[in-house]
Amino acid sequence: MHLSFRAKISLTIITVSMAITCVLSMVFYQQSARTVQNNYTQAQMQQLTACAKAFDDTMLDAYSACVYAVNDETLRQCIQQRDLNQIGDILDTYRSKNKNIDSISCYLPSSQTFLKVNANGLTEVQVTEEITQTLQQVLEGNNENKLSPVYARDATSVTQDNLFFYSKKAVALGGEELAQITVGVNEREIFFRCLQDESSQDTERFILDGDRILSAADIYSLNTQITWPDSGVLVTDVAMPTTEYHIVSIAERSQITEPLRIVRNRILLIAGFLNAAFAVLIFFVVRYLMKPMEELRSSMQQVSGGNLKVRAPVYQNDEIGQLSQGFNSMIAQIEGLIEELVTEKMLKKEAEIEALQYQITPHFMYNTLNSIKYEAILQGSPNTAELLEAFIELLQLSASDRGAFITVKQEMHMVQNYVKLQQFRYADCFQVTFDMQPEAETCYVPRLLIQPLVENAILHGIDHRKRDNQIAISVLCDNGALAIKVEDHGEGMTSEEIQKLLDGQRKSKFSGIGVSNIRERLRLYYGGKAELRFYSEKGNGTTAVILLPISYDAEEYTI
């Protein structure tokens, strides 16, 4: 699916915003959940510690009642006298002192009598094997750990409730066993006092002996092994320092963090609505921000269609504004380069037309001039024949179509022929010296480069009334450049006259190629690598110097 840049930016911002919202919500939820769980665990730890203390205190009270009863001299005397009613009253006194004691009993092994005192008063219970086993179990358990009660079923009760028992033997002074005093605390009383928590409906609490459940809300789970959940729950365990049991709370994590999940879902819902509103806002903001880009793209399309006059509007000096400015500058440069290229092509065309003008009926002119040359030879005029020969070579070389570049040697030969004709024309009023280094002979230069300078020196540099005019032409290689120098000893020029010459206001009447034309051709062929200089003072002659790169390839600088 093709999406615009604007749509991509909008979707990216919205996606990032949604992702950040979801991630932050989950992070805050996890942190809050851990905090809630830690706070819950600490609160449970404090509550369970208080419950453990209450359990230990209750058990210690029961233990104390059992110890006091066993060591009660009056009770021992009543036991020896078999005064059952008095025994019941004394035991009831100990029971009533501690409301958590469910029952207190006295077993007389000599008469197999079992007396039990509870809220219903004194009851004599028939001794059964089950009662005997329970009494023996409790007694042995208390002997192993005096402060830990023994958990067992009350065989003397119809409902057979589970009780925490302490049991000790009452012994006469002579060491005779008189009775076994047993104090029992009902498990249900312990549960309601120590474990029940009305404020937390999702938490289960247990009193454990190892993994065996001693007290819990579910009476059917008592005296069974606890099943520990694998995960998803918080377990708080507090050991009872006195009785060595454990009090444990188990709570579902999901129930504890349920309010947080509700808050999290509400946050996500609100974030969804906010992101929807944010998306609308982003659409208009991106649309506003993308307006300069759209206009820049439209300008680029128009430029690609050939309209180089268009310019991208610049609203601000930001990155897009700088991009638009750079685009406008680039188009302006391209437009300038195209105009420059067109100008160069026009100049080249003019040069070609100018060259073609030199080629008008060349064979007719050559044949005619050759005929005149031979006639001069037949008439005994060798000088005339020599001049005609020079003129014919000059025409042939200037009108040749062998390329825009020729060797320095060919150029100098054409200049020599031109000088011969001009010397004849001006009656040998000047002399020309040629100085050409051998290594410069094979260098390539633009055609008709030196001749216009020589023409300018002959027409404007020397005094034709004098007979000792001197013109010096030299070509040499110097520091990687080809230096061409044309020097005369004429009247010289002022700086204003030099400027006019460079501007093309003084052209040669012979060749039609002025100094300005030389400068323009140097620029077109060599760029900034070549230059034409004039050095002159009034009355001290003029020196024209051309500096251009050395080239031994005719095609190296051809346009």
Side-chain angles (χ1 to χ4, degrees), residues 418-432:
Y418 173 75
V419 168
K420 288 180 182 180
L421 294 174
Q422 295 301 320
Q423 285 177 334
F424 173 75
R425 177 183 177 186
Y426 291 104
D428 294 325
C429 70
F430 63 90
Q431 297 296 320
V432 179

Side-chain angles (χ1 to χ4, degrees), residues 386-512:
E386 184 179 354
L387 291 173
L388 287 172
E389 180 67 24
F391 182 54
I392 291 171
E393 289 184 1
L394 181 62
L395 287 178
Q396 287 178 336
L397 190 58
S398 62
S400 174
D401 58 354
R402 286 181 289 179
F405 284 77
I406 59 176
T407 63
V408 172
K409 184 176 182 180
Q410 292 173 326
E411 178 75 8
M412 291 294 283
H413 181 68
M414 183 175 64
V415 171
Q416 288 172 351
N417 289 330
Y418 173 75
V419 168
K420 288 180 182 180
L421 294 174
Q422 295 301 320
Q423 285 177 334
F424 173 75
R425 177 183 177 186
Y426 291 104
D428 294 325
C429 70
F430 63 90
Q431 297 296 320
V432 179
T433 59
F434 296 90
D435 181 15
M436 180 170 54
Q437 287 184 349
E439 58 267 27
E441 291 183 356
T442 56
C443 293
Y444 280 89
V445 295
R447 185 192 299 272
L448 295 176
L449 184 67
I450 305 176
Q451 183 270 332
L453 299 179
V454 177
E455 178 184 3
N456 191 71
I458 295 172
L459 295 179
H460 305 290
I462 63 176
D463 187 355
H464 299 113
R465 295 169 297 179
K466 296 180 180 181
R467 310 297 298 174
D468 58 347
N469 295 296
Q470 296 292 326
I471 297 176
I473 303 173
S474 62
V475 181
L476 54 91
C477 297
D478 183 22
N479 294 327
L482 184 67
I484 301 173
K485 183 188 297 184
V486 178
E487 181 180 6
D488 66 68
H489 301 284
E491 59 184 12
M493 293 183 293
T494 63
S495 57
E496 290 80 7
E497 291 174 333
I498 291 176
Q499 191 61 45
K500 288 182 179 180
L501 181 64
L502 292 174
D503 293 339
Q505 298 180 18
R506 296 174 59 184
K507 291 186 178 180
S508 171
K509 298 179 182 180
F510 182 82
S511 66

Side-chain angles (χ1 to χ4, degrees), residues 10 72 82 146-147 151 236-237 267 283 306 318 382 392 403 525:
S10 301
D72 191 328
R82 298 294 189 272
K146 295 181 179 180
L147 296 180
Y151 183 80
T236 308
D237 188 346
I267 290 175
F283 173 79
D318 54 5
I392 291 171
Y525 288 134

Side-chain angles (χ1 to χ4, degrees), residues 85-132:
N85 290 327
Q86 187 64 27
I87 292 173
D89 292 338
I90 295 173
L91 293 178
D92 188 58
T93 301
Y94 284 108
R95 189 195 67 81
S96 60
K97 289 181 180 179
N98 190 339
K99 62 180 181 179
N100 294 311
I101 295 177
D102 179 74
S103 64
I104 183 168
S105 61
C106 178
Y107 172 59
L108 306 176
S110 60
S111 61
Q112 290 292 301
T113 303
F114 187 89
L115 301 177
K116 177 181 179 182
V117 178
N118 56 19
N120 297 323
L122 176 64
T123 305
E124 183 176 352
V125 181
Q126 182 180 0
V127 178
T128 63
E129 183 179 355
E130 184 179 1
I131 292 175
T132 304

Side-chain angles (χ1 to χ4, degrees), residues 110-376:
S110 60
S111 61
Q112 290 292 301
T113 303
F114 187 89
L115 301 177
K116 177 181 179 182
V117 178
N118 56 19
N120 297 323
L122 176 64
T123 305
E124 183 176 352
V125 181
Q126 182 180 0
V127 178
T128 63
E129 183 179 355
E130 184 179 1
I131 292 175
T132 304
Q133 291 178 353
T134 301
L135 290 174
Q136 184 64 29
Q137 175 187 352
V138 173
L139 188 62
E140 291 176 355
N142 288 153
N143 290 333
E144 293 177 2
N145 190 341
K146 295 181 179 180
L147 296 180
S148 294
V150 175
Y151 183 80
R153 291 187 180 274
D154 185 6
T156 65
S157 173
V158 177
T159 58
Q160 292 192 344
D161 295 333
N162 294 283
L163 274 70
F164 295 94
F165 290 106
Y166 285 103
S167 184
K168 287 187 176 297
K169 290 182 178 181
V171 182
L173 294 176
E176 179 186 1
E177 180 182 350
L178 299 176
Q180 181 177 345
I181 306 299
T182 303
V183 177
V185 179
N186 193 290
E187 177 273 331
R188 286 291 88 187
E189 294 294 333
I190 291 296
F191 171 79
F192 291 123
R193 181 182 181 188
C194 301
L195 299 184
Q196 190 176 37
D197 185 6
E198 299 293 341
S199 62
S200 180
Q201 300 295 330
D202 303 318
T203 303
E204 291 185 276
R205 291 180 177 179
F206 305 89
I207 294 178
L208 301 178
D209 180 13
D211 289 337
R212 185 166 65 104
I213 300 175
L214 304 183
S215 182
D218 184 9
I219 60 175
Y220 297 104
S221 65
L222 299 179
N223 222 11
T224 63
Q225 296 292 320
I226 188 171
T227 301
W228 297 100
D230 295 334
S231 61
V233 296
L234 286 175
V235 179
T236 308
D237 188 346
V238 173
M240 300 179 187
T242 302
T243 59
E244 298 183 355
Y245 292 151
H246 286 259
I247 183 168
V248 176
S249 71
I250 300 177
E252 293 286 340
R253 292 178 186 269
S254 59
Q255 297 297 327
I256 297 173
T257 58
E258 179 63 23
L260 286 178
R261 284 201 301 273
I262 295 174
V263 173
R264 180 197 62 187
N265 295 337
R266 288 178 180 175
I267 290 175
L268 291 175
L269 182 62
I270 294 173
F273 284 114
L274 290 178
N275 276 289
F278 188 46
V280 176
L281 179 61
I282 288 174
F283 173 79
F284 288 104
V285 171
V286 171
R287 182 178 180 182
Y288 170 76
L289 295 177
M290 288 296 297
K291 182 179 179 182
M293 290 291 290
E294 291 291 338
E295 293 184 347
L296 178 60
R297 182 178 64 87
S298 177
S299 300
M300 289 181 177
Q301 289 179 342
Q302 294 183 52
V303 169
S304 64
N307 183 10
L308 296 179
K309 300 298 182 183
V310 68
R311 294 294 184 269
V314 180
Y315 294 99
Q316 296 178 352
N317 192 27
D318 54 5
E319 288 79 0
I320 297 179
Q322 293 173 4
L323 184 63
S324 299
Q325 290 176 353
F327 172 76
N328 294 339
S329 177
M330 179 187 68
I331 296 303
Q333 291 179 5
I334 292 175
E335 189 176 14
L337 291 174
I338 291 176
E339 291 179 355
E340 185 177 348
L341 181 61
V342 172
T343 302
E344 291 177 0
K345 288 185 176 181
M346 290 179 62
L347 290 174
K348 183 179 179 181
K349 191 69 175 178
E350 291 177 358
E352 291 176 353
I353 293 174
E354 203 169 68
L356 289 174
Q357 290 176 351
Y358 285 105
Q359 298 178 9
I360 299 175
T361 62
H363 295 291
F364 172 75
M365 294 175 62
Y366 298 156
N367 292 335
T368 302
L369 290 173
N370 279 319
S371 298
I372 296 173
K373 181 185 74 172
Y374 291 130
E375 182 63 26

